[in-house]
Amino acid sequence: MTRQLDLFRKPRRPAKRNPRTLFVFDAGNPGPTNRAHVRLACDVCGHKTDWVPERSETAEKAGRVCPKCKGDPANVKPSAATEAAPTP
């Protein structure tokens, strides 16, 4: 028997935005511990990490949250080069 929908239930919250902006740009071969290491780069702020242990291929394809900007362009601080640039 199929269930009837509840017409008076509370509306669901909208889905959260996915803040994952760190993606793999360089990967190494597994070493003696049989664990590969990867380097990650952020699409928003340009932050690049050092070599970190890989979680799994599937998890790395999904990306990680950037520790600098947290995936939000509003958190990116302007660099010294953009502050010193003259405005026309």
Side-chain angles (χ1 to χ4, degrees), residues 6-68:
D6 186 7
L7 298 176
F8 301 104
R9 73 174 178 201
K10 294 180 183 178
R12 294 182 180 172
R13 288 182 289 157
K16 287 185 177 182
R17 189 174 82 77
N18 188 357
R20 297 181 192 159
T21 58
L22 278 179
F23 295 100
V24 175
F25 78 93
D26 194 8
N29 293 329
T33 60
N34 208 17
R35 191 163 189 193
H37 285 71
V38 295
R39 291 184 67 197
L40 305 162
C42 180
D43 291 341
V44 176
C45 68
H47 172 69
K48 292 183 180 178
T49 66
D50 201 19
W51 291 97
V52 294
E54 180 184 50
R55 297 179 296 182
S56 72
E57 186 176 343
T58 307
E60 295 301 345
K61 283 183 180 179
R64 294 187 189 191
V65 177
C66 180
K68 276 193 163 183

Side-chain angles (χ1 to χ4, degrees), residues 72-86:
D72 187 9
N75 293 339
V76 178
K77 295 179 182 176
S79 66
T82 57
E83 288 178 3

